[in-house]
Short mmCIF file of all heavy atoms in Angstrom, two decimals:
data_model
loop_
_atom_site.label_atom_id
_atom_site.label_comp_id
_atom_site.label_asym_id
_atom_site.label_seq_id
_atom_site.Cartn_x
_atom_site.Cartn_y
_atom_site.Cartn_z
N GLY A 131 -33.22 18.94 4.70
CA GLY A 131 -33.70 17.57 4.50
C GLY A 131 -35.21 17.51 4.12
O GLY A 131 -35.77 16.34 4.06
N VAL A 132 -35.82 18.66 3.85
CA VAL A 132 -37.28 18.63 3.57
C VAL A 132 -37.45 18.08 2.11
O VAL A 132 -36.74 18.59 1.13
CB VAL A 132 -37.84 20.04 3.62
CG1 VAL A 132 -39.40 20.06 3.13
CG2 VAL A 132 -37.73 20.55 5.06
N ARG A 133 -38.38 17.18 2.02
CA ARG A 133 -38.55 16.44 0.69
C ARG A 133 -40.14 16.55 0.42
O ARG A 133 -40.95 16.86 1.26
CB ARG A 133 -38.13 15.05 0.66
CG ARG A 133 -36.69 14.80 1.04
CD ARG A 133 -35.85 15.41 -0.22
NE ARG A 133 -34.38 15.18 -0.07
CZ ARG A 133 -33.66 16.07 0.42
NH1 ARG A 133 -34.05 17.34 0.86
NH2 ARG A 133 -32.20 15.93 0.57
N ALA A 134 -40.45 16.09 -0.76
CA ALA A 134 -41.84 16.02 -1.17
C ALA A 134 -42.62 15.19 -0.19
O ALA A 134 -42.22 14.13 0.16
CB ALA A 134 -42.03 15.45 -2.63
N GLY A 135 -43.73 15.76 0.20
CA GLY A 135 -44.69 15.03 1.18
C GLY A 135 -44.41 15.47 2.62
O GLY A 135 -45.22 15.11 3.48
N ASP A 136 -43.20 16.09 2.95
CA ASP A 136 -43.02 16.56 4.23
C ASP A 136 -43.97 17.77 4.51
O ASP A 136 -44.47 18.34 3.65
CB ASP A 136 -41.53 17.03 4.42
CG ASP A 136 -40.56 15.82 4.49
OD1 ASP A 136 -41.09 14.61 4.83
OD2 ASP A 136 -39.36 15.99 4.29
N ARG A 137 -44.00 18.10 5.72
CA ARG A 137 -44.90 19.20 6.19
C ARG A 137 -43.93 20.39 6.61
O ARG A 137 -43.05 20.16 7.42
CB ARG A 137 -45.91 18.91 7.22
CG ARG A 137 -47.13 18.21 6.64
CD ARG A 137 -46.92 16.83 6.21
NE ARG A 137 -46.57 15.99 7.27
CZ ARG A 137 -45.98 14.78 7.20
NH1 ARG A 137 -45.70 14.37 6.06
NH2 ARG A 137 -45.69 14.00 8.24
N VAL A 138 -44.47 21.58 6.31
CA VAL A 138 -43.83 22.84 6.78
C VAL A 138 -44.87 23.80 7.27
O VAL A 138 -45.98 23.93 6.66
CB VAL A 138 -43.01 23.57 5.64
CG1 VAL A 138 -42.52 24.91 6.11
CG2 VAL A 138 -41.79 22.60 5.07
N ALA A 139 -44.64 24.34 8.43
CA ALA A 139 -45.73 25.12 9.14
C ALA A 139 -45.31 26.64 9.26
O ALA A 139 -44.12 26.88 9.42
CB ALA A 139 -46.05 24.52 10.53
N GLY A 140 -46.28 27.47 9.29
CA GLY A 140 -46.09 28.89 9.36
C GLY A 140 -46.91 29.45 10.53
O GLY A 140 -48.22 29.38 10.49
N PHE A 141 -46.22 30.03 11.45
CA PHE A 141 -46.95 30.75 12.58
C PHE A 141 -46.68 32.25 12.29
O PHE A 141 -45.83 32.92 12.83
CB PHE A 141 -46.42 30.33 13.97
CG PHE A 141 -47.00 31.07 15.16
CD1 PHE A 141 -48.35 30.86 15.42
CD2 PHE A 141 -46.22 31.77 16.08
CE1 PHE A 141 -48.92 31.52 16.54
CE2 PHE A 141 -46.80 32.36 17.14
CZ PHE A 141 -48.11 32.25 17.41
N VAL A 142 -47.44 32.78 11.29
CA VAL A 142 -46.96 34.05 10.69
C VAL A 142 -48.12 34.93 10.40
O VAL A 142 -49.25 34.61 10.15
CB VAL A 142 -46.38 33.69 9.25
CG1 VAL A 142 -45.04 32.98 9.43
CG2 VAL A 142 -47.30 32.77 8.43
N PRO A 143 -47.82 36.23 10.48
CA PRO A 143 -48.82 37.32 10.00
C PRO A 143 -48.99 37.36 8.52
O PRO A 143 -48.12 36.68 7.76
CB PRO A 143 -48.19 38.65 10.60
CG PRO A 143 -46.80 38.39 10.58
CD PRO A 143 -46.56 36.83 10.84
N ASN A 144 -49.82 38.10 8.05
CA ASN A 144 -49.97 38.38 6.55
C ASN A 144 -48.77 39.23 6.09
O ASN A 144 -48.89 40.52 6.52
CB ASN A 144 -51.24 39.01 6.22
CG ASN A 144 -52.36 37.99 6.42
OD1 ASN A 144 -52.24 36.90 6.14
ND2 ASN A 144 -53.47 38.51 6.85
N CYS A 145 -47.81 38.81 5.48
CA CYS A 145 -46.61 39.56 5.08
C CYS A 145 -45.91 38.92 3.89
O CYS A 145 -46.23 37.71 3.71
CB CYS A 145 -45.70 39.86 6.26
SG CYS A 145 -45.08 38.24 6.89
N PRO A 146 -45.03 39.57 3.16
CA PRO A 146 -44.31 38.98 2.08
C PRO A 146 -43.56 37.65 2.47
O PRO A 146 -43.50 36.75 1.81
CB PRO A 146 -43.39 40.10 1.59
CG PRO A 146 -43.99 41.30 2.00
CD PRO A 146 -44.70 41.06 3.36
N GLU A 147 -42.92 37.62 3.67
CA GLU A 147 -42.26 36.49 4.09
C GLU A 147 -43.09 35.19 4.20
O GLU A 147 -42.60 34.14 3.94
CB GLU A 147 -41.51 36.76 5.48
CG GLU A 147 -40.40 37.75 5.43
CD GLU A 147 -40.91 39.23 5.49
OE1 GLU A 147 -42.10 39.41 5.55
OE2 GLU A 147 -39.97 40.07 5.56
N ALA A 148 -44.31 35.45 4.55
CA ALA A 148 -45.30 34.23 4.72
C ALA A 148 -45.47 33.74 3.24
O ALA A 148 -45.58 32.51 3.04
CB ALA A 148 -46.63 34.75 5.25
N VAL A 149 -45.66 34.65 2.32
CA VAL A 149 -45.84 34.17 0.91
C VAL A 149 -44.62 33.40 0.35
O VAL A 149 -44.66 32.37 -0.26
CB VAL A 149 -46.13 35.33 -0.07
CG1 VAL A 149 -46.34 34.80 -1.47
CG2 VAL A 149 -47.37 36.04 0.39
N VAL A 150 -43.37 34.02 0.69
CA VAL A 150 -42.09 33.32 0.32
C VAL A 150 -41.97 31.98 0.83
O VAL A 150 -41.67 31.01 0.14
CB VAL A 150 -40.97 34.33 0.65
CG1 VAL A 150 -39.62 33.44 0.47
CG2 VAL A 150 -40.92 35.54 -0.18
#
Side-chain angles (χ1 to χ4, degrees):
V132 175
R133 298 291 183 266
D136 288 341
R137 277 75 63 199
V138 175
F141 180 61
V142 289
N144 291 324
C145 59
E147 290 83 358
V149 178
V150 169

